[in-house]
DNA sequence: ATATTTTGACCGGCG
DNA sequence: ACGCCGGTCAAAATA
């Protein structure tokens, strides 16, 4: 099994529509959405992210706050006290017609994804963050699988059962919150299906859109509005060791490769800010949600703070960048 | 029985 | 006024 042949190709947007922006200002236009884009890199090698992300240098016992807006909260169980991956799950379960398993599992490059999706996903489920994988970069691939999460356990992942089980238990929370799908549309612009989710918490206005490409790979996630509640308790429990703290703890430990194709902001108190470039094709859609939310607050208080506190932006974005993997053989993350 | 997903219909903004 | 398109609704299906 080619264990490290893929690249993540997902964009994460945060609806920053509350910002006062001049639509004629390109820079501002871009900033309407906080975008984190994971590219397969096939079509846009510029956006392939090369990161020296190594198990030994990343520590988190927080499995779920990673992608919570503004810190996404994939189910990521990273344990590095021993310098090895215990598990690292990106899972978005039961989204749409398939289970979107955000797992750091093996995923072929997009060129090889076509074909029997189920078979490929089954293969990919055999990921094992075992000793052999320790010296390889994490592959932040996304698996789209029709297989039930409970069947994900692979014989090889003997050392990861706990985290897998934990992941399953938390499958409903994905990014820490509960979502209910309320619609799906085929978006003409991109010809991709787009799913619409609402936070299931009573009166919570938060929504998110998840767009997938033809291979079922999530290409974009847009959050709208902010949660008016805290993260579900049982989720918080497992996330007690705040990933935010992790971010601050570890973001300075890594240096992105020079190949980093993000827009690097020159200022920000000497810190590196990497932003992925925003395709113009995405702007109309972003605009649309923005227009709906002129009066709304940003997607989360965290994000609002982010906007007001450049340092936070720096730390967050830089850290996320480390999680964007280029799995080219020659770029194994070694500096 | 309940919660969630699916999916066609509907609505409203925009050109 | 019309059609297109994205977003939402809601009944049915499914888990």
């Amino acid at each position: 099994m080619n264990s490290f042949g893929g690249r993540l190709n997902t964009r994460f947007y945060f609806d920053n529509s509350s910002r006062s922006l001049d639509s004629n200002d390109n820079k501002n236009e871009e900033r309407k959405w906080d975008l984190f884009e994971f590219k397969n890199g096939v079509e846009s090698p510029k956006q392939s992210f090369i990161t020296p992300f190594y198990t030994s240098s990343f520590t988190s016992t927080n499995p779920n706050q990673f992608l919570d807006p503004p810190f996404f909260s994939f189910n990521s169980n990273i344990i590095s006290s021993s310098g090895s991956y215990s598990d690292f799950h990106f899972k978005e379960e039961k989204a749409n017609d398939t289970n979107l398993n955000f797992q750091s599992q093996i995923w072929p490059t997009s060129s090889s994804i076509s074909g029997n999706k189920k078979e490929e996903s089954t293969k990919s489920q055999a990921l094992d963050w075992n000793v052999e994988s320790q010296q390889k970069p994490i592959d932040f691939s996304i698996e789209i699988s029709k297989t039930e999460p409970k069947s994900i356990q692979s014989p090889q992942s003997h050392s990861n059962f706990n985290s897998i089980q934990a992941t399953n238990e938390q499958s409903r929370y994905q990014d820490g919150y509960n979502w209910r799908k309320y619609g799906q549309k085929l978006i003409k612009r991109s010809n991709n299906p787009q799913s619409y989710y609402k936070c299931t918490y009573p009166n919570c206005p938060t929504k998110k859109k998840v767009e997938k490409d033809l291979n079922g790979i999530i290409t974009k996630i847009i959050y709208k509005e902010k949660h008016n509640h805290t993260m579900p308790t049982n989720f918080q429990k497992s996330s007690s060791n705040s990933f935010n703290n992790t971010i601050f703890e570890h973001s300075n430990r890594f240096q992105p490769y020079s190949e980093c194709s993000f827009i690097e902001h020159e200022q920000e108190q000497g810190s590196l800010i990497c932003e992925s470039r925003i395709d113009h094709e995405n702007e109309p859609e972003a605009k649309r949600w923005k227009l709906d939310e002129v009066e709304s607050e940003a997607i989360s208080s965290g994000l609002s703070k982010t906007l007001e506190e450049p340092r936070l932006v720096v730390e967050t974005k830089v850290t996320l960048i480390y999680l964007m993997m280029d799995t080219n053989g020659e770029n194994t993350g070694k500096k």
Side-chain angles (χ1 to χ4, degrees):
Chain A
M1 178 170 58
N2 177 13
S3 297
F4 297 95
R7 293 187 183 121
L8 201 57
N9 187 18
T10 301
R11 298 170 183 180
F12 300 97
Y13 292 84
F14 301 116
D15 183 356
N16 297 329
S17 53
S18 67
R19 300 179 206 179
S20 173
L21 298 169
D22 181 354
S23 60
N24 294 325
D25 184 334
N26 285 340
K27 262 200 164 180
N28 283 340
E29 187 72 19
E30 290 183 3
R31 295 182 62 176
K32 284 190 295 191
W33 301 88
D34 280 352
L35 166 64
F36 298 99
E37 182 171 7
F38 295 67
K39 273 285 187 182
N40 269 336
V42 175
E43 297 163 86
S44 305
K46 269 190 159 185
Q47 300 193 12
S48 61
F49 305 130
I50 300 138
T51 151
F53 192 91
Y54 274 89
T55 59
S56 58
S57 54
F58 191 89
T59 304
S60 172
T61 56
N62 177 345
N64 289 309
Q65 284 191 340
F66 178 43
L67 290 179
D68 179 44
F71 310 104
F72 280 120
S73 296
F74 285 157
N75 294 337
S76 55
N77 299 329
I78 308 173
I79 297 175
S80 69
S81 59
S82 63
S84 63
Y85 295 111
S86 168
D87 192 12
F88 199 101
H89 277 191
F90 282 178
K91 171 174 288 187
E92 179 153 32
E93 181 186 343
K94 285 192 172 181
N96 198 2
D97 52 327
T98 58
N99 293 330
L100 308 181
N101 297 327
F102 281 76
Q103 294 187 332
S104 57
Q105 296 185 340
I106 286 51
W107 189 254
T109 53
S110 62
S111 58
S112 62
I113 283 175
S114 61
N116 191 330
K117 195 183 296 181
K118 188 169 184 176
E119 179 184 343
E120 297 222 12
S121 66
T122 302
K123 288 179 183 175
S124 69
Q125 288 167 5
L127 173 70
D128 178 21
W129 292 111
N130 53 19
V131 177
E132 291 93 61
S133 65
Q134 289 182 31
Q135 295 308 314
K136 298 177 182 178
I138 299 175
D139 181 3
F140 286 83
S141 302
I142 296 172
E143 176 189 6
I144 308 300
S145 170
K146 285 183 179 288
T147 14
E148 287 300 315
K150 56 189 123 186
S151 67
I152 283 174
Q153 296 180 2
S154 91
Q156 298 176 346
S157 54
H158 45 78
S159 62
N160 303 330
F161 282 143
N162 288 341
S163 53
I164 288 176
Q165 287 163 358
T167 299
N168 288 338
E169 288 172 6
Q170 296 166 353
S171 59
R172 292 181 60 202
Y173 299 93
Q174 304 158 12
D175 54 7
Y177 297 91
N178 297 326
W179 300 98
R180 180 179 59 82
K181 187 176 183 177
Y182 65 89
Q184 179 172 336
K185 267 286 201 181
L186 185 66
I187 302 302
K188 292 241 173 182
R189 170 183 48 82
S190 60
N191 202 32
N192 292 336
Q194 192 161 270
S195 302
Y196 303 90
Y197 298 88
K198 285 177 182 174
C199 181
T200 59
Y201 192 89
N203 299 323
C204 180
T206 309
K207 298 175 183 176
K208 73 174 177 180
K209 294 190 295 186
V210 177
E211 182 175 327
K212 301 187 300 181
D213 66 14
L214 295 177
N215 292 319
I217 297 176
I218 293 177
T219 58
K220 185 164 46 177
I221 298 176
I222 302 178
Y223 285 87
K224 181 184 181 184
E225 287 280 5
K226 65 184 255 187
H227 295 279
N228 58 7
H229 57 96
T230 58
M231 193 175 290
T233 331
N234 48 346
F235 181 86
Q236 277 185 322
K237 253 181 202 172
S238 62
S239 308
S240 57
N241 185 13
S242 168
F243 195 88
N244 297 357
N245 292 338
T246 304
I247 287 175
F248 288 105
E249 284 178 22
H250 297 281
S251 59
N252 290 330
R253 299 188 187 179
F254 312 123
Q255 295 301 323
Y257 276 122
S258 56
E259 292 93 329
C260 177
S261 62
F262 298 103
I263 300 167
E264 297 186 6
H265 293 252
E266 58 285 343
Q267 44 196 8
E268 304 293 344
Q269 302 174 349
S271 301
L272 172 67
I273 296 181
C274 288
E275 285 183 350
S276 57
R277 300 172 190 277
I278 298 175
D279 295 341
H280 289 293
E281 64 181 35
N282 294 319
E283 290 183 1
E285 182 179 21
K287 247 179 200 170
R288 187 157 183 138
W289 269 35
K290 168 182 169 49
L291 290 174
D292 291 341
E293 297 300 318
V294 173
E295 302 298 329
S296 72
E297 294 185 52
I299 177 61
S300 72
S301 58
L303 182 57
S304 300
K305 287 176 184 174
T306 296
L307 299 175
E308 299 158 9
E309 300 171 11
R311 270 189 76 92
L312 186 56
V313 174
V314 171
E315 299 289 350
T316 301
K317 290 184 176 178
V318 167
T319 302
L320 282 169
I321 286 157
Y322 291 124
L323 301 175
M324 302 170 182
M325 301 301 298
D326 183 329
T327 54
N328 281 340
E330 66 270 23
N331 296 322
T332 57
K334 294 176 182 176
K335 272 206 105 174

